[in-house]
Amino acid sequence: MENKKVALVTGGSRGIGKACAVELAKAGCDVIINYAGNEEAANKTVEELKVLGSNSKAMKFDVSNQELVEAAIKEIMDEYKRIDVLVNNAGITRDGLFMRMSAQNWLDVINTNLNSAYFVTNPVSKIMIKQRSGAIVNMASISGIYGNAGQANYSTAKAGLIGFTKALAKELASRNIRVNAVAPGFIQTDMTKDLPQEQIVDKIPLKRLGEPEDIAKTVKFLALDTTYITGQVIGVDGGLVI
Ligand code: NAP
């Protein structure tokens, strides 16, 4: 039997990350999901993934803590022996006007949404280089492309992820590793549930918020289906320009 691909999805317990995990499991991957603290959601997602035939497990670690990340990647390698797909998805918001933004809210978002990409991708890319294959998908945002008022911290982190994607794609291409980003618009998850949805929908040409599955299908396409796309940022936003 052909060896199954192994995928790691950070922040894979809920929302967009969960949908990505499900899509990758449906495509035949063994999917490891990471989460920060919501154990109930993580366990429920793992059960769903197992029903899809995936040898899955949930791993609780803070993606902004380098030591914990490195220990987790080592544990994955001990058990699964390889990592074929990495989805850097875990993220948070701490919105507010910049003038009133605390240093803590700035640092929390930069550490969780951007520095985490270094902490996770650095050890994983070394594994992929040894394998001479791999696909990395970074979860950016339209906020990182256009900038969003009230989200200076978040827009900065997401713009950083886009630069990271383009630079890393060039560095890793010769090792048969592709690196791309998806830039979601407004997607229906816990992160957006308190936003004024009617006002937002009004501005979206496709007249609806996105579903996590809309993002997941693009992530799966970039990770598994295409072989010749790298260094790209795909907007999945219903046509919205902010
Ligand atoms: P969500 O529903 O709030 O889920 C966030 C996920 O990230 C959860 O699994 C959470 O774990 C995990 N997480 C948070 N902080 C973490 C940390 N320090 N270490 C490890 N895991 C952590 O968010 P979402 O809406 O699905 O967003 C997923 C990604 O898409 C984020 O990067 C976000 O910026 C991006 N995005 C979202 C939208 C949108 O409209 N929703 C738009 C553009 C981009 P727990 O369950 O344990 O808390």
Side-chain angles (χ1 to χ4, degrees):
M1 204 175 95
E2 196 192 334
N3 278 345
K4 289 177 88 175
K5 285 195 170 174
V6 177
L8 168 62
V9 181
T10 68
S13 56
R14 294 185 284 125
I16 292 172
K18 175 182 177 178
C20 293
V22 166
E23 206 63 39
L24 292 169
K26 278 186 190 163
C29 294
D30 284 336
V31 186
I32 300 129
I33 59 161
N34 146 263
Y35 68 105
N38 189 337
E39 197 163 329
E40 200 184 326
N43 289 339
K44 191 168 167 283
T45 299
V46 166
E47 287 318 308
E48 288 179 38
L49 296 172
K50 284 185 176 165
V51 170
L52 294 169
S54 168
N55 175 19
S56 288
K57 74 171 188 173
M59 297 180 75
K60 177 178 165 177
F61 61 89
D62 178 353
V63 288
S64 68
N65 182 322
Q66 185 173 18
E67 226 173 282
L68 296 181
V69 171
E70 283 181 357
I73 303 296
K74 190 176 173 305
E75 194 182 319
I76 293 170
M77 285 305 283
D78 287 346
E79 190 174 340
Y80 290 83
K81 314 293 179 208
R82 56 187 299 116
I83 301 176
D84 300 284
V85 174
L86 167 64
V87 184
N88 281 315
N89 165 79
I92 56 168
T93 51
R94 296 285 183 271
D95 295 353
L97 290 178
F98 183 67
M99 255 175 49
R100 286 191 226 121
M101 186 175 285
S102 67
Q104 198 57 55
N105 281 353
W106 175 270
L107 290 171
D108 283 350
V109 168
I110 300 295
N111 284 332
T112 304
N113 297 12
L114 179 59
N115 291 337
S116 62
Y118 172 83
F119 298 141
V120 180
T121 312
N122 186 267
V124 171
S125 63
K126 288 175 189 160
I127 291 161
M128 290 178 169
I129 285 170
K130 277 202 195 123
Q131 293 169 180
R132 295 225 157 238
S133 72
I136 298 168
V137 183
N138 297 316
M139 202 56 69
S141 164
I142 52 170
S143 299
I145 297 174
Y146 304 112
N148 196 20
Q151 289 198 311
N153 48 3
Y154 186 83
S155 301
T156 301
K158 295 301 186 180
L161 273 183
I162 290 171
F164 174 63
T165 300
K166 293 181 180 182
L168 201 63
K170 287 181 177 164
E171 285 192 26
L172 298 182
S174 64
R175 316 299 176 96
N176 191 32
I177 300 164
R178 294 176 304 97
V179 188
N180 291 290
V182 174
F186 285 95
I187 310 301
Q188 205 111 43
T189 69
D190 293 341
M191 189 178 268
T192 52
K193 67 179 188 312
D194 297 327
L195 298 178
Q197 304 216 344
E198 272 178 32
Q199 269 166 266
I200 293 169
V201 167
D202 234 24
K203 296 191 183 128
I204 301 173
L206 282 178
K207 292 296 166 218
R208 66 171 178 89
L209 262 68
E211 296 296 332
E213 292 70 27
D214 292 316
I215 307 303
K217 284 182 182 140
T218 310
V219 168
K220 181 246 178 190
F221 167 73
L222 289 171
L224 299 179
D225 299 341
T226 178
T227 48
Y228 203 55
I229 298 179
T230 197
Q232 299 302 307
V233 184
I234 313 281
V236 184
D237 51 22
L240 178 66
V241 175
I242 53 173

